[in-house]
């Protein structure tokens, strides 16, 4: 239960303005900036430098321009334009074209129709130069609408787009059937948000068991699925299952977050598996960063050590 409690604690802290101000002041500047471990930087240039390094290690990447839960249409428009600028910059840089985004960043909580328009603008620009776009999954209250919007754009012909399912949510088995029928690409994660008992497993062992169950279905029935986890036991289970079913490594990919378990990222590539690293960047890094702390309280010690060393 420590996991649930620490997720809840850090999710609450992620709304603290004082902490956010302090973090913005100290987190990304200085030679030992603690946020840099998990965030590639604040600018597109930082992000492109980071993905070049990842690509040079024989890995793939997906770029996430950080931002979520915007409260105004102006902020949603700014995020949309930032994604359009990112598409242009990635295209010019000649690196792999793969993005991840969040619908609440495009205005979902303000005006659903405008959010869909914003998403379509990004998908249209991306389609013109061969991008794949993944719609991240946010908290459970956004799950149904996220899948509905995904289905809408998919049926309109934007098929270079995929979604995410969280094994923590009870509904994900049914969502798997619904999305898999379309032949769409699914990324499977455990789920980064604190969720109530009514909708989600509370015990880590249940979340992990649901993960392995869904991962096996994805590997045998899915369309180029993404198994996104740093959990070694699950990774071993998936590798064994795929080999047993004769599913070769180019039919799925593993994904991990920037700065987390780089050792495992490297060893999976050495074993011949595909590895995609999720590379977040931008100025709105605080909520993302707090979720990473909540997942592993040992990260707090790392942050404190960095701050003390900096002083
Ligand atoms: C590519 C990718 C995309 C994601 N997209 C989404 C999304 O769209 N929606 C969503 O809700 N969640 C998303 N997540 C986050 C996910 O839901 C989990 O919160 C996160 O991956 C931690 O769970 P785990 O599967 O690694 O397993 P855990 O059981 O939490 O961790 C297993 C091991 O991984 C390492 N580890 C895990 N987290 C950390 C950390 N923060 N710092 C250091 N080490 C750590 C530790 O060694 C730990 O023992 C994404 C994760 C990845 C990898």
């Amino acid at each position: 239960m420590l996991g649930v409690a620490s997720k809840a604690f850090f999710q609450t802290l992620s709304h603290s303005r004082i902490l956010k101000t302090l973090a913005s002041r100290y987190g990304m500047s200085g030679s030992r900036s603690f946020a840099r471990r998990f965030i590639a930087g604040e600018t597109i240039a930082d992000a492109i430098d980071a993905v070049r390094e990842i690509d040079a290690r024989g890995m793939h990447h997906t770029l996430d321009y950080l931002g979520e839960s915007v409260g105004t249409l102006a902020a949603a428009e700014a995020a949309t334009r930032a994604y359009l600028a990112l598409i242009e910059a990635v295209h010019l840089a000649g690196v792999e074209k793969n993005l991840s985004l969040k619908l609440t960043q495009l205005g979902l909580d303000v005006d659903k129709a405008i959010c869909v328009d914003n998403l379509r603008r990004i998908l249209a620009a991306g389609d013109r130069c061969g991008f794949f776009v993944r719609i991240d999954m946010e908290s459970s209250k956004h799950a149904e609408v996220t899948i509905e919007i995904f289905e809408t754009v998919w049926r309109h012909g934007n098929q270079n787009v995929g979604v995410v399912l969280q094994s923590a949510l009870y509904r994900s088995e049914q969502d798997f059937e619904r999305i898999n029928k379309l032949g769409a690409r699914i990324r499977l994660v455990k789920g980064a948000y604190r969720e109530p008992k009514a909708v989600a497993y509370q015990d880590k062992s249940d979340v992990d068991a649901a993960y392995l169950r869904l991962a096996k279905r994805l590997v045998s029935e899915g369309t180029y699925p993404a198994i996104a986890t740093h959990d070694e036991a699950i990774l071993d289970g998936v590798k064994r299952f795929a080999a047993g079913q004769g599913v070769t490594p180019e039919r799925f990919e593993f994904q991990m977050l920037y700065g987390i378990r780089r050792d495992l990222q490297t060893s999976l590539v050495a074993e011949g598996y595909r590895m995609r690293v999720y590379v977040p960047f931008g100025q709105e890094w605080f909520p993302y960063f707090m979720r990473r702390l909540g997942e592993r309280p040992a990260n707090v010690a790392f942050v404190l050590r960095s701050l003390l060393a900096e002083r």
Side-chain angles (χ1 to χ4, degrees), residues 7 37-38 62 102 134-139 164 166 187-193 204 208 211 227-232 234 255-257 259-261 264 276-278 291-296 299:
K7 254 189 202 175
R37 150 114 192 253
F38 303 108
T62 181
K102 292 185 174 52
R134 178 81 61 179
I135 303 175
D136 284 352
M137 185 56 83
E138 301 180 65
S139 71
V164 178
Q166 299 163 332
R187 173 201 292 154
L188 181 64
V189 301
K190 289 189 186 175
Y193 300 83
K204 182 169 160 40
D208 292 355
Y211 192 103
I227 307 301
T229 180
H230 317 88
D231 186 323
E232 281 191 71
I234 289 182
Q255 295 191 352
M256 292 192 194
L257 299 175
I260 299 183
R261 293 303 312 260
L264 257 187
R276 186 175 304 280
V277 180
Y278 183 103
R291 285 197 290 277
R292 302 295 78 84
L293 292 194
E295 279 157 4
R296 193 157 180 264
N299 287 338

Side-chain angles (χ1 to χ4, degrees), residues 58-131:
M59 300 177 191
H60 303 269
H61 62 259
T62 181
L63 276 163
D64 170 41
Y65 172 66
L66 289 162
E68 55 198 89
S69 310
V70 304
T72 64
L73 290 181
E77 175 63 24
T80 305
R81 286 178 187 224
Y83 265 103
L84 295 175
L86 179 61
I87 286 172
E88 179 86 29
V90 167
H91 182 58
L92 288 175
V95 292
E96 192 188 7
K97 297 165 180 176
N98 194 302
L99 304 178
S100 292
L101 52 75
K102 292 185 174 52
L103 293 181
T104 66
Q105 182 179 19
L106 305 184
L108 182 60
D109 292 339
V110 191
D111 184 322
K112 180 178 160 192
I114 290 187
C115 167
V116 174
D117 263 7
N118 290 340
L119 176 64
R120 285 220 177 101
R121 285 161 64 198
I122 295 169
L123 294 178
D127 261 4
R128 280 195 290 276
C129 31
F131 275 77

Side-chain angles (χ1 to χ4, degrees), residues 162-221:
V163 272
V164 178
L165 294 181
Q166 299 163 332
S167 71
L169 299 187
Y170 308 138
R171 58 173 291 155
S172 290
E173 309 243 0
Q174 279 167 352
D175 290 338
F176 166 79
E177 307 281 351
R178 180 172 161 186
I179 297 161
N180 205 41
K181 255 198 326 239
L182 300 174
R185 284 160 63 172
I186 295 173
R187 173 201 292 154
L188 181 64
V189 301
K190 289 189 186 175
Y193 300 83
R194 170 187 47 152
E195 299 290 357
K197 205 159 58 193
V199 300
Y201 299 111
Q202 304 293 300
D203 286 345
K204 182 169 160 40
S205 58
D206 292 330
V207 176
D208 292 355
Y211 192 103
L212 195 53
R213 219 166 37 237
L214 273 167
K216 286 179 176 174
R217 292 202 64 192
L218 275 168
V219 164
S220 53
E221 302 166 42

Side-chain angles (χ1 to χ4, degrees), residues 134-154:
R134 178 81 61 179
I135 303 175
D136 284 352
M137 185 56 83
E138 301 180 65
S139 71
S140 62
K141 73 176 198 267
H142 295 108
E144 180 59 29
V145 69
T146 298
I147 293 174
E148 277 170 17
I149 291 176
F150 161 74
E151 288 171 335
T152 304
V153 295
W154 179 273

Side-chain angles (χ1 to χ4, degrees), residues 20-21 95 166 283 302 309:
K20 185 176 180 189
T21 309
V95 292
Q166 299 163 332
Q283 293 184 321
F302 159 76

